[in-house]
Amino acid sequence: MGEKCIEMCRMRAGDLKTGFGNPRKISKKKLEELGHSFEMLGDFGIFLIDEDNNVIGGNQRLKAVLQVYGPEKELDCKRLIGYSEAELRAVNIKDNTHSGEWDLELLADWTADLNLDLGLDLQNGQKTEERSIDEMELVPYEKYNYVLLACRSELDYDILIDKLGLRDKKVMITDKRSIKARAVWYDKVEHLLFGGK
């Protein structure tokens, strides 16, 4: 086998082949989200291809590109030359292995001024459930570290933030600890806080 090298090239989306295979799959919903992301921000990824134009990395993105832009779309590619089939499979797996985890505090800073859904899964595999608590009663014998004031409208929220002096303040979040909080409706305690209604 010759020496391995990687060269940059541009290819039409319609000229890329998917015959190499890919152990990853994508749901219809996630494919739609990916296409929507392309429409909002463009496709800024690089496709990995072999010497025969088979996609090694970027199979799901290619599906979305073809749906959003069509087969004439020019794509940036890295052509892997001199790689064995086993090495190409390893590249595919490594390209699809997302290691690491979010630094939630830094992520909060980065996304504080963004007004779009990035489709991030921040649950780290934890399941959550939605439940209603009748009149938000206290759980007996439970101690709480924080009180969450829930607002019924954006106007209430704006008034509360201004009165508490929290306008433009940042909220730090982390997955390193859990906190116990008690939720109360703002309009039910506003008079206690500010002598209002």
Side-chain angles (χ1 to χ4, degrees):
M1 178 132 313
E3 191 174 320
K4 293 181 194 67
C5 68
I6 300 173
E7 67 180 26
M8 292 296 299
C9 61
R10 300 237 344 134
M11 298 285 299
R12 283 179 62 253
D15 291 336
L16 295 181
K17 303 172 193 170
T18 57
F20 184 78
N22 183 33
R24 297 277 288 183
K25 59 185 179 178
I26 190 168
S27 69
K28 183 178 178 184
K29 180 177 186 268
K30 289 293 184 185
L31 185 61
E32 288 171 2
E33 290 173 4
L34 184 57
H36 182 66
S37 171
F38 287 173
E39 290 169 349
M40 284 189 326
L41 303 170
D43 176 25
F44 40 82
I46 301 286
F47 289 82
L48 305 177
I49 60 174
D50 69 7
E51 296 171 64
D52 297 317
N53 300 331
N54 288 300
V55 176
I56 306 302
N59 285 277
Q60 312 310 335
R61 284 189 303 113
L62 180 60
K63 289 177 189 175
V65 163
L66 289 169
Q67 284 183 359
V68 172
Y69 302 112
E72 297 301 318
K73 174 73 173 171
E74 289 280 321
L75 304 173
D76 291 321
C77 300
K78 286 185 177 179
R79 187 183 311 278
L80 307 176
I81 300 170
Y83 286 72
S84 70
E85 183 179 337
E87 289 171 326
L88 291 172
R89 286 196 313 268
V91 167
N92 173 279
I93 292 167
K94 291 304 285 179
D95 184 58
N96 284 303
T97 303
H98 305 291
S99 57
E101 56 190 52
W102 292 111
D103 177 331
L104 293 179
E105 291 179 11
L106 182 58
L107 183 62
D109 286 342
W110 276 41
T111 58
D113 64 341
L114 297 180
N115 189 19
L116 48 108
D117 180 7
L118 297 173
L120 301 178
D121 177 15
L122 302 179
Q123 298 299 321
N124 292 328
Q126 296 176 352
K127 294 188 180 193
T128 59
E129 64 180 72
E130 192 174 309
R131 56 188 180 133
S132 62
I133 300 173
D134 186 43
E135 291 296 319
M136 290 193 261
E137 291 177 8
L138 288 171
V139 176
Y141 312 111
E142 186 70 73
K143 292 184 179 179
Y144 299 95
N145 299 330
Y146 295 91
V147 173
L148 170 80
L149 295 176
C151 298
R152 296 181 197 270
S153 69
E154 192 171 342
L155 178 61
D156 279 351
Y157 172 79
D158 286 336
I159 291 169
L160 175 63
I161 291 301
D162 288 337
K163 284 184 178 179
L164 293 176
L166 298 175
R167 177 79 55 205
D168 299 322
K169 300 287 186 207
K170 295 200 186 263
V171 175
M172 303 305 283
I173 61 170
T174 181
D175 64 348
K176 304 282 189 250
R177 61 189 167 101
S178 62
I179 60 173
K180 294 179 180 175
R182 164 74 164 99
V184 294
W185 287 111
Y186 167 64
D187 60 359
K188 298 225 181 203
V189 297
E190 179 184 15
H191 67 284
L192 298 173
L193 295 171
F194 306 114
K197 301 179 193 174

